[in-house]
Amino acid sequence: MLARKSIIPEEFGLPGLASRIARKPVFRDRVNKARFIAKNGSCNLAHKNIREQGRFLQDVFTTLVDLKWRFTLVIFTTTFVSSWLLFAMSWWLVAFAHGDLDSRNLTRGDLQNKIYCVTDVKSFTSAFLFSIEVQVTIGFGGRMITEHCPTAITVLIMQNIIGLIINAVMLGCIFMKTAQSNRRAETLIFSRHAVIAVRNNCLCFMIRIGDLRKSMIIGATVRLQVVRKTTTPEGEVIPIHQIDVPTETAVASNSLFLLAPLIICHVIDKNSPLYDLSAMELQCSDLEVIVILEGVVETTGITTQARTSYVSEEIQWGHRFLPIVTEEEGVYSVDYSKFGNTVKVTTPPCSAKELDEKPSILIQTLQKSELSHQNSLRKRNSMRRNNSMRKSARSGAAGLRRNNSGLAAPKVQFFTPTDASQNLNAVT
């Protein structure tokens, strides 16, 4: 049986009508990509399949400093205990070879005439305690070395030299871990978001940096890099392509005077990797902007480095940072509670390339913002005038009421006929 043909033509059906409707372009959400640099500055990079592990042992000191604290403390304790046990075994062997351990079967006279290498070393436990006393230079006085045993003197010299080397390496490692430069970087802060807005008639990428300590960073410099996945014309895929981005401060001077929070500005020009990106394209891109702040710590003289990064979701288009430095009673104060606060400003959503090709877009945008600003001022002024007129009218009405209440109303007296006759009789 043949299917019945529809009475309504196919071009007027729902599928046909839906195909004719002009659809807006749909931008897919950007796939969540791993950050190259985390917000706290740590590198999100895992090293795998390293075959030449022996290279780390060639630089033992740096390897110990780079280890985590729990591993460092375990190595610290294990090294000292192992050295004490090793030389305790040496002292026990010296005592055993010299016959110091056979003093139990001797008489009192023989004990007084016997010559020892180390006095009071009668077991491995006493040898271990003597090893600790020698290496740590405690010297309780119960056990001591004599001059009649050259082997014991040689072991004493070796333990002192090796003990000094172990102390120097281990204590130096602990000192370097406590005085690492990244600890100073904890007080160097960056704004949570980056902004893109118009400054000096140019589209600019801006961030804010600050230092929480009063001790300054000498010779501070800021570098910006854009990390993105690129493909060369030859078809080579570069997963992490680092592109240096110049800043206004780097062009004007070699270093920053980081006394108060500063706004680092990058002008988006023809040489910028952000030149072709508009507001909509920025949200769909997979780029990452890395910020590196370097300088010398004033108190210790150690070079420190603080890092952070901004992905496309953390870049606010058409925003500007609020001012946080004010003058109060002759002193400049910084309100860090508003460090990352931004305010929305009028910014064309097109790319910097389109602004260079059509400068009228920026002019029209600025004119519209100026007109809207003037209209808002007029509305405010008119509202203020209306409020003042209402207040004056209310005050005038209240004054009239007070004046009317102050006027005394004439009293009207009504007389009855009897009262009138009594008044006439009184008059006559």
Side-chain angles (χ1 to χ4, degrees):
M1 182 176 180
L2 296 176
R4 182 186 297 178
K5 190 175 182 180
S6 177
I7 301 175
I8 302 175
E10 294 181 357
E11 60 269 15
F12 294 101
L14 292 177
L17 293 175
S19 61
R20 293 184 180 182
I21 297 175
R23 297 180 180 179
K24 296 181 179 180
V26 179
F27 292 92
R28 297 181 179 178
D29 296 336
R30 190 179 68 89
V31 179
N32 292 330
K33 178 189 173 184
R35 306 174 72 106
F36 186 60
I37 298 294
K39 295 297 290 184
N40 59 358
S42 60
C43 297
N44 189 17
L45 187 66
H47 298 276
K48 297 181 179 180
N49 300 327
I50 300 178
R51 298 180 180 179
E52 299 180 359
Q53 297 287 345
R55 292 182 177 269
F56 295 99
L57 298 178
Q58 296 178 4
D59 189 6
V60 180
F61 186 77
T62 306
T63 304
L64 293 176
V65 173
D66 291 340
L67 289 176
K68 295 183 179 180
W69 269 106
R70 54 179 178 268
F71 300 117
T72 302
L73 294 177
V74 169
I75 293 174
F76 182 86
T77 306
T78 305
T79 303
F80 278 102
V81 173
S82 300
S83 64
W84 296 338
L85 288 173
L86 177 63
F87 284 100
M89 181 61 69
S90 301
W91 289 117
W92 185 83
L93 291 175
V94 169
F96 178 77
H98 194 264
D100 296 343
L101 302 179
D102 300 333
S103 60
R104 297 179 181 179
N105 299 325
L106 298 177
T107 62
R108 294 182 178 179
D110 296 334
L111 288 173
Q112 294 178 357
N113 297 325
K114 185 174 178 57
I115 298 174
Y116 295 92
C117 281
V118 181
T119 59
D120 292 338
V121 174
K122 301 176 182 180
S123 63
F124 182 78
T125 304
S126 58
F128 179 74
L129 293 175
F130 181 71
S131 175
I132 296 176
E133 293 174 9
V134 171
Q135 189 165 338
V136 188
T137 64
I138 296 176
F140 291 113
R143 285 170 289 270
M144 64 185 67
I145 191 172
T146 62
E147 68 275 8
H148 303 287
C149 189
T151 306
I153 297 174
T154 305
V155 174
L156 179 65
I157 294 173
M158 291 178 59
Q159 185 172 4
N160 285 330
I161 294 174
I162 295 175
L164 289 175
I165 294 174
I166 294 174
N167 289 335
V169 174
M170 291 291 104
L171 295 179
C173 176
I174 296 296
F175 173 76
M176 289 302 297
K177 285 187 71 67
T178 54
Q180 280 183 344
S181 60
N182 55 2
R183 304 301 177 188
R184 179 62 176 88
E186 296 293 334
T187 53
L188 298 174
I189 57 176
F190 301 87
S191 58
R192 183 68 181 175
H193 296 86
V195 297
I196 293 179
V198 177
R199 173 185 275 193
N200 297 328
N201 297 327
C202 296
L203 205 61
C204 299
F205 174 87
M206 292 173 285
I207 61 169
R208 176 177 277 172
I209 60 175
D211 188 4
L212 299 179
R213 289 187 181 272
K214 291 185 178 181
S215 59
M216 297 178 57
I217 299 295
I218 302 174
T221 57
V222 176
R223 294 187 293 114
L224 299 181
Q225 285 187 347
V226 173
V227 178
R228 63 195 310 177
K229 182 179 179 180
T230 58
T231 304
T232 61
E234 294 78 14
E236 180 185 1
V237 178
I238 304 176
I240 302 176
H241 186 202
Q242 300 180 12
I243 307 172
D244 290 332
V245 177
T247 60
E248 286 185 349
T249 54
V251 175
S253 61
N254 295 327
S255 60
L256 300 173
F257 187 56
L258 196 58
L259 180 63
L262 299 176
I263 296 177
I264 306 302
C265 179
H266 160 64
V267 179
I268 304 177
D269 53 6
K270 296 181 180 179
N271 299 323
S272 174
L274 308 176
Y275 187 64
D276 298 331
L277 294 179
S278 62
M280 187 64 68
E281 294 174 350
L282 178 64
Q283 298 300 322
C284 303
S285 62
D286 59 348
L287 62 87
E288 179 180 354
V289 182
I290 299 175
V291 184
I292 304 172
L293 174 60
E294 294 179 342
V296 179
V297 182
E298 184 180 16
T299 54
T300 60
I302 301 175
T303 304
T304 184
Q305 185 182 95
R307 301 178 295 267
T308 190
S309 67
Y310 300 93
V311 294
S312 58
E313 290 84 358
E314 297 170 348
I315 301 175
Q316 296 179 347
W317 191 286
H319 284 72
R320 183 184 299 164
F321 289 107
L322 290 175
I324 59 176
V325 180
T326 57
E327 185 178 359
E328 298 177 358
E329 298 179 356
V331 178
Y332 290 98
S333 62
V334 181
D335 187 5
Y336 282 98
S337 62
K338 302 178 182 178
F339 183 81
N341 293 357
T342 60
V343 61
K344 193 172 183 179
V345 294
T346 304
T347 305
C350 59
S351 62
K353 181 178 180 180
E354 295 177 2
L355 290 179
D356 291 342
E357 294 176 353
K358 298 179 181 179
S360 60
I361 298 176
L362 180 59
I363 298 173
Q364 293 175 0
T365 305
L366 296 177
Q367 289 178 353
K368 290 181 180 179
S369 64
E370 184 67 23
L371 290 175
S372 62
H373 181 65
Q374 292 179 359
N375 293 331
S376 62
L377 290 178
R378 290 175 183 174
K379 289 181 180 179
R380 292 179 183 176
N381 294 331
S382 63
M383 291 176 65
R384 290 176 182 175
R385 291 176 184 175
N386 294 333
N387 292 332
S388 60
M389 291 175 64
R390 290 176 183 175
K391 290 180 180 179
S392 60
R394 291 175 182 175
S395 61
L400 291 175
R401 291 177 183 175
R402 292 175 183 174
N403 295 332
N404 293 333
S405 62
L407 296 176
K411 295 182 179 180
V412 181
Q413 296 181 354
F414 297 93
F415 297 97
T416 59
T418 56
D419 295 335
S421 62
Q422 291 177 2
N423 293 331
L424 289 173
N425 294 329
V427 172
T428 56

